[in-house]
Each structure stands twice: as structure tokens, then as C-alpha cells.
Amino acid sequence: MSAAVPIRYVIRPARPEAHLFEVSCTVAQPDAAGQRFSLPAWIPGSYMIREFARNIVSLRAEAGGKPVKLEKLDKHSWRAAPVAAGKALTLHYEVYAWDLSVRAAHLDQTHGFFNGTSVFLAVEGQVDAPCLVDIQSPPATAAKGWKVATALPRAAGERGAAKAYGFGLYRAANYDELIDHPVEMGRYTLAHFEAGGVRHDIVLTGRHDCDTARLARDLERVCNWQIELFGAPAPMDYYAFLTLIVGDGYGGLEHRASTALIASRGDLPWPGMKGLPDGYKTFLGLCSHEYFHTWNVKRIKPAAFTPYDLAQENYTRLLWAFEGFTSYYDDLALVRSGVLPAEDYLGLLGKTVSAVLRGSGRLKQSVAESSFDAWTKYYRQDENAPNAIVSYYAKGSLIALALDLQLREASAGKRSLDDVMRLLWQRHGRTGAGVAEDGIYAAVAEIGGDALAAWLRKTVEGTDDLPLARLLKGFGVGYKAEAASAAPVLGAKLAGSGEVKLANVYDGGAAQAAGLSAGDVLVAVDGLKAGSVAAVEAMLARRQPGERIELHAFRRDELMRFELTLAAAPAESIKLTLADKPTPAARRLRKGWLGA
């Protein structure tokens, strides 16, 4: 069987009002024993089995104009009956697309979006074959002004090849490349900039008042810094930030030459905006995070992901490095590129430290265990998550910080985590060789010595808190722990509108000691109606730690009474500040670290 014969796909947003894509897949040389097809069960970058095949609502096969029997083998696989030699086999199917996220597919009269993992069946045994994809326009009534945005290369030289931002024929070298280029279609705003000599597009779908010139200027600086960190040339010849704008939303998913983003309308910069509002910092950090993944996880990746097995979980204990290190560099890139003031960066860093210290799960689960259990714990969090798990994103970023500071201080600023990342890029990113489960430790040992590598392994495999106050002091940064509020606390997170629900009950807190549970609906505090979260917080603000209060709450449909002793707010809100008079050595280290 010749791998040079392309697999041909056609995808059309046939019924936007019903959220249905029509897709076909034609195999010129199907397996003589019966061709198998499958759809991925998960998408790289989002470590949870999602069973995308559940959204296929109809499926049929034909060859030479005649129907071919299909047998379903499992939840995401089918086998077609053998067809006569020389006959092409075509599958026709519909995909329901109503997942407003960065992971799957979404279609209505305003736009269409899809990841290949949700819509393109893999032809088993031919996943290395080239692919041609005809992206067709929706019905004329909906298609006015629609364009296509994707990093998927246009099929130059082929009949019907797409023009820039147009419908038509696109190509991929193989199935893995095909599903690593999400597609946005609709009426969108387009802005662009160049970084490292590469064109970068910003695609904004949805109503907005974004100052696209400001956004492009800021992202250009961030992207240039990241390209310079790893070394030119950039590993792609084009990049796209595909961004869906909504009233309230946040999310991102990395791809080899693009990212799919969801952003809140209010987080975008607007004409005349002064400074850097918190929402805009959040959006820039998200863009920086996904862009850093272009190197770290899309090309430098765990050996467990080379290649991906998209039919089942792919276990690794290294997500603390691939997501955690990326989470460290996302905001660091903002300050070192000059987009974010150092004081603002320290404010963001303090929030991360506070978030990690707030959860007792950090004392029970290591980041290595959190990485391995991402499939069943981190991506399937429940009401007990703060008490049971640690975020390999957040604590992983703090491990990266501690590692970077130690490398810099021990070498008087001559070595840093940057050197580790560049080593990983040369050894693994450029070569495609996966990183072994102990590969990060080996790279750190090479740059910073065996003792530091041993510290890293112990920290990653253990649950001790990090010595950040001591490490930051050597860089002229003050570390202060204080209570987030002077008011006493219940030891629970309250949520809800219209009713006050205990979303989480924290280990060792007053609520847990009193017998309250997550999911309980609070109805009264000392005989007064708990009308809203704000109302309850206002009641607590008038009390003192040690006071006893009476609570009434519904658990299921039963009204229950509790007596609770209020506790003082814990000192877990971390404030980081620039020291007024750092030593000359601390000043030099801080400048090398923050670039300021």
C-alpha cells in the first residue's frame, strides 16, 4: 500500500442552526481485509478521556456508489466490510458541534470552530499518509462574509486549493499534523504582527471593542522574547491566536503552530485604556502560556507522548515540568519582555503562592503524583479537590521559580533555568526524541550539578513547602504572609446566586469541625436569612474569631442545625515586594532574573 496516496476529507458546516458538520473521508486504497476507522478519545494538552465519538450522530459507508456495511467495534472504532480491489471507500458522517470550549467543536449561525480530533476519523494503518482537506462554506444564507483562519497549510498546486483565509483545499503531512491545526470560520477581526521574522495572526471572533493595535504590540514583544529564549529560527513559519470572545470565559489549548483561546470581552484592551488592568494581564498571560507550549510540550515532550496513543490515557509523571514550567514562564515572559512592570509581576506571583498554600492537598499529593493522576483527579475535580490534590500547574510553576533562583544564585547569575530549557530544546525539541521520566533531573544535573538535581527530585516527589521566602531574599524581594481578611472565616468556600451553597469545606476548618459538608445550602446565620454570599460575608465581618454562631442548612431536602466556632483567617495571603535597598549582589541577580 502506497503511503503517498492521500486520505481525502471534506468538511462542511451543513446545518449551522442544528450545529451539524457534514464530514466525509475517502480512502483510495482501503485494507483488503476490511478498513478500520477510529476517532480520538482525547485531545493532546487536555488530559481527560472525552470520547469525542459520542458526537457522531450518523455514519455510513459506500464504494463505487454502493453501500458498504459498517461494524462498530467499540466506543470510537468501526470496521468497513472489504471492497473490491481498486475501489475507493468513502465514509459519510455528521458531527454534532455544540461544545463551547477550546477542546472540541462548535457551530452556529455566527461561526464554526473545530479541532481535528473531534471531526476527522483516523484511517488505521494509514495514519502516516498525507491528508487533503476540503473545508467548504456553509449554506449561502449563513456564509456571507465568512472566512477561514487556521495554521493548516493550504494545498498549493492542487486544484481547488484555498486562497488566503478562504474556503478550499488544505493539506497535512499525516494524521497527527491534521488534528493539530484547529480551524475557525466566520466573520472575525484580523490583526497581525511579525516576531522572529514569522507572521503571527490574531483572530478575534465575537463582539468586542478591542484595541487590536495595542494587543498586537504587546504580543509581538512577548513572542519575540520567547523566540530569543530558545533561539531563532522559530519552529513554525506562521502562527495564529484563534480567539473566541464571550461575556465570561477563559481557556486555551496549545497546538504546534496556533492556539485556540476563549476570552472574556472585558479582558481585552480597549481604545484609550491606561495601564494594565487585571483582566488584560490575565489574557496576556494566557496567550504567553499557550505560545510557550510551542516549544515546551508540542516539541519538547515526554517520551510517553511520542507518539500519542489517542485511544487511551498516556501516563507520565512529568506534567509538573511541561505545564508547571510553562506556567512559570508565561508571566515571566511578560515582565522580561517589558510588557509588565516588575511590581505587577510580583503581585501575580504572590497570588500563585497564596493559591498553592490555600489547599491542604499540597501536603498529601506530590506534583509527580498529580501529573500521573491528571486523568482521574486534576481534570475530574470534585468538591474535595482542595483537600486532596495539588495543582501541577501552580506548584509546578513555583518549583520552576525555586529552581531558577537557585541556579542563578549558585552561579552568580551565569546559569539559570533558561539554560535548562535551551538544553532540552536542543536534545529533544529539535530532534523529536521524547524526554524520559528522569530526563528533567538529568538536564538540571548537567547545568546545575547533582546536588540541585537531587533537591529537585526530592521536591517533585515530596510534599514539603518550598523555601521561597529565603530564596527570594537573595534577589532583593520581600516575602510577607498575612491574613486575607480581618474577618473570621467559616473554613469553607461559599458560592451561588439565589442560594448560598458550600462549594468546598476545607480540612481542619470550622465548618468541617461543626459537621457541615460540601453541597449544603446555607439558609440562616443566627436566625437571619443567608440571602447571598455577600450577605453572609457581611455578617461574618461583624464577628470575632472564637465566637460561636448557629447555622441552619439544607442537606438534600432535610433542614439541619449546626453550631460553629469562628476561626481567624489563616496567614496564607502572600505579598511580594521589591526591597528598597537590596545589596549590590541581590540587585544584580534581580536584574538578571526580571530584566529590571
Side-chain angles (χ1 to χ4, degrees), residues 325 328-329 399-423 440-453 455-456 471 475 589 593:
F325 283 20
Y328 171 59
Y329 274 103
I399 290 173
L401 166 67
L403 177 60
D404 195 13
L405 298 182
Q406 290 178 88
L407 282 164
R408 290 175 183 275
E409 190 164 27
S411 65
K414 295 178 181 179
R415 291 186 296 277
S416 71
L417 187 57
D418 299 353
D419 297 299
V420 176
M421 297 310 301
R422 284 189 281 262
L423 177 62
I440 305 296
Y441 308 126
V444 169
E446 188 167 339
I447 299 298
D450 291 340
L452 187 57
W455 169 87
L456 178 62
L471 293 173
F475 287 72
L589 286 172
W593 172 40

Side-chain angles (χ1 to χ4, degrees), residues 468-493:
L468 295 180
R470 175 177 60 79
L471 293 173
L472 288 165
K473 184 178 180 180
F475 287 72
V477 174
Y479 180 107
K480 183 180 180 181
E482 57 189 22
S485 170
V489 294
L490 296 175
K493 180 180 179 181

Side-chain angles (χ1 to χ4, degrees), residues 124-135:
E124 296 190 8
Q126 299 191 46
V127 292
D128 292 327
C131 302
L132 290 172
V133 184
D134 186 1
I135 303 176

